[in-house]
Amino acid sequence: EVQLQASGGGLVQAGGSLRLSCATSGFTFDDYAIGWFRQAPGKEREGVACIVHDDGSTYYADFVKGRFTISSDNAKNTVYLQMSSLKPEDTALYFCAAEHRGIGSLVRHEYDDWGRGTLVTVSS
């Protein structure tokens, strides 16, 4: 059974940092792409970043480039999202998801398995 568990959310002041973790199990980690998505109240879920384990490629949404970094620890089957220079508009429920083709995408419907989200709140 494919499982993904996001953690590390919390309350932080604007300009601060947080690191989210996505612990995975039930699939061959190296064959998949893992993406981070977020959903703010009243808004659509949007892609934030993804990592392709086959070649290490990473992709970022324009609104997080230069502030967020996605990485993975293959030994731990865990993907991280380091978030810096946080803004109030980054406040959202953050989800990680697995994309079975291993291609990499920031498009929600291309992901197959989802974990529960972790809440990030950035105060001004």
Side-chain angles (χ1 to χ4, degrees), residues 2-101:
V2 174
Q3 293 188 335
L4 302 101
Q5 180 60 58
S7 62
L11 174 64
V12 63
Q13 289 188 330
S17 299
L18 278 176
R19 189 178 79 158
L20 305 183
S21 299
C22 176
T24 73
S25 63
F27 60 93
T28 303
F29 192 67
D30 292 351
D31 292 342
Y32 284 47
I34 301 294
W36 283 99
F37 292 76
R38 70 185 188 185
Q39 188 166 15
K43 295 188 176 181
E44 294 290 319
R45 192 172 299 187
E46 59 185 358
V48 175
C50 72
I51 185 165
V52 179
H53 291 110
D54 183 42
D55 62 5
S57 299
T58 57
Y59 303 91
Y60 296 93
D62 286 344
F63 52 79
V64 302
K65 282 182 180 177
R67 299 190 299 124
F68 292 10
T69 302
I70 189 170
S71 62
S72 67
D73 184 334
N74 289 7
K76 295 182 179 180
N77 289 354
T78 299
V79 172
Y80 303 99
L81 185 68
Q82 178 66 49
M83 306 186 295
S84 303
S85 301
L86 283 162
K87 306 174 182 180
E89 51 264 45
D90 293 319
T91 294
L93 194 59
Y94 283 72
F95 300 85
C96 58
E99 184 253 290
H100 294 191
R101 297 172 305 156

Side-chain angles (χ1 to χ4, degrees), residues 95-110:
F95 300 85
C96 58
E99 184 253 290
H100 294 191
R101 297 172 305 156
I103 295 175
S105 168
L106 296 179
V107 178
R108 174 182 178 181
H109 72 255
E110 293 185 353

